[in-house]
Amino acid sequence: MKTDPSTNSLHDIGRVLVVDDHRQARESMADVLRQSGHDVQCCSSAAEALQVIRQETYQCIVTDLKMPGMNGLEFIVQLKQRQYGAQVVMVTAHASVSSAVEAMRHGAFDYIEKPFDVDRLERLVRQAIRHGRLVGMEQEARQDGNTARPPVMIGSSAAMRVLREKIDQVAPTSETVLITGESGTGKELVARAIHAASRRAGGPLVSLNCPVLSAHLMESELFGHEKGAFTGADAPRTGRFEAAAGGSILLDEVTEIDLPLQAKLLRVLQEKTFERVGSNTMLTADVRVLATTNRDLQAEVAEGRFREDLFYRLAVVPLHVPPLRQRTEDIPELVDYFLHRSAERLGREPCTLEPSAQELLVHYSWPGNVRELENFITRASVLSDGTPLDAESLRRWLAVQLKPKNETPGDMPVGLSLQETERRLIEATLEHYGGHRAKTAEALGIGVRTLSGKLRQYGYAPRAKSLAKAG
Ligand SMILES: Nc1ncnc2c1ncn2[C@@H]1O[C@H](COP(=O)(O)OP(=O)(O)OP(=O)(O)O)[C@@H](O)[C@H]1O
Ligand SMILES: [Mg+2]
């Protein structure tokens, strides 16, 4: 039976974009997907697809990996940069499975090998669409959570206990808090917990995602503007500092604010005053500032990209959220929580895990931290057929990054990218030297600055010790 794709009665039918440079492959995939009720469009290159998605919304993109010009992997990176919400299914030749797994690390939903099995393609696309819907629901719930319930923070490891105590201590004060930690560790969640437990909880929590804005837009976003302040400013506009009056403002990824604007931000922190762009009227900021970064802010200061005085102002109270691999005790609790939440949203019983699967999840390194675990569990819940999941079925998703506890760099599996190999070697060496950067750099035969640069690239947080000085 054909389903009308415009109705959402079936939650896994949607709009699909097929990208492949081979006409025949493209058309046969499109045919299969149309047969099952999807609304399908095709593109013959990633570049063309990037144009098309500027106008159109798709729930799923099926893309070939090997294409002339931009390949499927680069395409995924571009989609991610544009924060395009579609789920991606990668089509690959058997020989390039390691690239397909790499694609999944960049957020692809799954991959399918050529020559592809029609049923599997159909099933994967449906699952991808359902997964996307679930992720969307989670995002909405999070946004609602901004104003409604206090955020749920799972984990009873010692590290999480310390973090909760610090949150309790700092929340009632009006101090500025700098929350550091790798990507996906829960920095935003911590910020929301602080706001919820503060005296300003009744006021708004306004957040500004700094990386997505140009310098020019950011100033007007933060402070607002008057009519005619610049070309295109047709009407006056309230900035986030005004919108957050009586509440808190969260400057997400604060290092992305450029130097001239950092000076203005410093003034707000010191004098609690600011002006809208194009105005001389001084306004008072009745706002508590919370900021996050996944960079080494001290290194940013050392390299002249971040103002030192602003750093000290922001880091009045530094809070560090440790990476998940340093609090593996939290993993079973988090898994359980995410399994139940996914099940609730899918309207079915939570799927269960064999002990081998549990163990696998605890031993995995989770480079994307809690967010990666959350996505993983959502995906496993969507894919599960109701039988308990064993390690074997999970391993497929984690294939390349599997990191047994006592693995040494010599044991690295074939199929690992050079970049990932480098990251692991650096991590292992850093661990060996107890986090001592000079010794680590010496052992690796590189300069400390190069090492810091690489660590920053991997999303390492500032050193706890140097930050403590600011406290
Ligand atoms: N302790 C936790 N308990 C429950 N959910 C958590 C926990 N930590 C993180 N999460 C969830 O993991 C996801 C990522 O968290 P969050 O967005 O706060 O991370 P982040 O550090 O701000 O990441 P990024 O640096 O990428 O912005 C969110 O969906 C969040 O709700
Ligand atoms: Mg964040």
Side-chain angles (χ1 to χ4, degrees):
M1 187 197 71
K2 225 172 148 170
T3 320
D4 177 7
S6 63
T7 66
N8 281 348
S9 58
L10 267 184
H11 279 290
D12 42 15
I13 298 292
R15 302 199 70 212
V16 182
L17 184 65
V18 174
V19 188
D20 198 317
D21 55 312
H22 286 113
R23 191 171 59 89
Q24 217 182 346
R26 195 163 70 219
E27 287 176 358
S28 62
M29 287 192 279
D31 280 346
V32 167
L33 296 170
R34 279 192 195 111
Q35 291 275 328
S36 41
H38 301 287
D39 175 5
V40 186
Q41 243 106 73
C42 295
C43 286
S44 57
S45 71
E48 186 193 341
L50 288 175
Q51 287 296 325
V52 169
I53 61 158
R54 287 167 64 172
Q55 320 280 352
E56 305 283 337
T57 308
Y58 296 95
Q59 281 81 50
C60 178
I61 299 180
V62 178
T63 177
D64 192 23
L65 174 66
K66 254 184 86 185
M67 293 185 285
M70 189 186 299
N71 69 29
L73 211 55
E74 291 159 341
F75 179 40
I76 291 205
V77 173
Q78 290 294 324
L79 288 171
K80 199 168 157 188
Q81 273 176 11
R82 287 167 173 72
Q83 304 192 321
Y84 194 70
Q87 298 293 314
V88 177
V89 172
M90 186 69 93
V91 184
T92 129
H94 181 67
S96 43
V97 164
S98 67
S99 317
V101 177
E102 180 70 19
M104 285 170 56
R105 287 203 49 202
H106 284 101
F109 176 71
D110 204 343
Y111 63 91
I112 180 165
E113 284 172 47
K114 281 195 256 191
F116 66 85
D117 165 352
V118 170
D119 289 342
R120 183 163 149 72
L121 176 68
E122 246 225 86
R123 195 170 59 240
L124 267 186
V125 167
R126 279 170 176 270
Q127 287 169 331
I129 291 174
R130 204 180 311 156
H131 180 74
R133 293 228 156 94
L134 215 59
V135 171
M137 282 164 77
E138 272 160 21
Q139 269 163 5
E140 274 168 33
R142 248 197 308 279
Q143 272 150 16
D144 294 348
N146 253 346
T147 46
R149 300 154 276 125
V152 183
M153 211 157 125
I154 306 292
S156 43
S157 61
M160 286 303 282
R161 276 208 307 277
V162 170
L163 190 60
R164 272 199 203 87
E165 276 166 24
K166 284 193 185 160
I167 291 174
D168 290 344
Q169 276 170 8
V170 71
T173 72
S174 50
E175 297 293 2
T176 301
V177 183
L178 176 69
I179 306 156
T180 62
E182 288 177 18
S183 182
T185 44
K187 297 184 296 296
E188 195 179 326
L189 193 66
V190 168
R192 287 196 278 123
I194 292 173
H195 175 75
S198 77
R199 283 188 303 238
R200 292 172 170 268
L205 170 61
V206 174
S207 57
L208 183 72
N209 186 358
C210 304
V212 302
L213 296 170
S214 68
H216 168 67
L217 278 181
M218 185 127 57
E219 178 166 6
S220 133
E221 278 296 333
L222 279 174
F223 305 122
H225 63 244
E226 290 302 338
K227 183 177 173 179
F230 46 83
T231 358
D234 307 331
R237 182 159 187 225
T238 323
R240 309 271 170 126
F241 268 99
E242 279 177 76
S248 317
I249 192 165
L250 170 61
L251 303 175
D252 217 358
E253 295 308 331
V254 71
T255 47
E256 302 302 314
I257 295 182
D258 71 355
L259 283 164
L261 199 52
Q262 285 175 24
K264 298 196 176 168
L265 186 58
L266 180 68
R267 184 177 144 214
V268 183
L269 292 175
Q270 283 174 335
E271 297 162 23
K272 304 271 177 214
T273 59
F274 66 96
E275 284 124 24
R276 284 184 178 185
V277 179
S279 156
N280 292 323
T281 313
M282 206 151 65
L283 299 170
T284 307
D286 169 23
V287 171
R288 181 198 200 162
V289 177
L290 307 171
T292 75
T293 180
N294 61 21
R295 299 215 180 188
D296 182 342
L297 207 42
Q298 285 247 301
E300 298 292 306
V301 170
E303 280 156 37
R305 282 194 295 269
F306 202 82
R307 289 179 67 113
E308 191 173 16
D309 44 10
L310 180 58
F311 166 72
Y312 284 111
R313 271 281 162 180
L314 284 175
V316 177
V317 184
L319 281 191
H320 181 63
V321 189
L324 192 53
R325 64 182 172 282
Q326 284 174 13
R327 42 180 168 110
T328 51
E329 314 91 283
D330 292 338
I331 293 175
E333 276 175 72
L334 284 163
V335 167
D336 196 53
Y337 171 69
F338 293 138
L339 280 173
H340 277 85
R341 218 185 44 188
S342 295
E344 201 178 300
R345 297 200 168 130
L346 287 167
R348 54 155 102 134
E349 285 298 301
C351 47
T352 48
L353 300 177
E354 298 264 3
S356 65
Q358 282 277 4
E359 196 182 344
L360 184 76
L361 295 181
V362 171
H363 286 171
Y364 176 63
S365 64
W366 300 111
N369 293 295
V370 185
R371 177 175 299 110
E372 187 185 6
L373 176 64
E374 183 180 15
N375 288 338
F376 181 85
I377 297 295
T378 310
R379 173 156 48 191
S381 304
V382 170
L383 296 175
S384 145
D385 59 3
T387 54
L389 294 162
D390 59 8
E392 215 33 61
S393 51
L394 297 189
R395 191 168 275 129
R396 173 181 159 72
W397 308 104
L398 300 171
V400 167
Q401 302 160 70
L402 215 55
K403 189 181 177 189
K405 268 203 168 132
N406 49 5
E407 181 195 88
T408 66
D411 296 328
M412 286 187 189
V414 172
L416 214 57
S417 73
L418 207 52
Q419 204 184 2
E420 172 72 1
T421 312
E422 185 192 66
R423 186 178 71 84
R424 287 197 187 185
L425 180 63
I426 289 179
E427 270 188 4
T429 314
L430 197 64
E431 208 169 300
H432 177 81
Y433 288 105
H436 197 296
R437 290 194 180 190
K439 285 183 188 162
T440 304
E442 195 188 16
L444 291 167
I446 56 175
V448 181
R449 280 174 74 107
T450 310
L451 176 67
S452 296
K454 288 189 184 294
L455 289 174
R456 191 165 60 245
Q457 200 182 316
Y458 307 143
Y460 266 70
R463 279 153 292 184
K465 233 190 243 153
S466 37
L467 265 176
K469 269 193 292 183

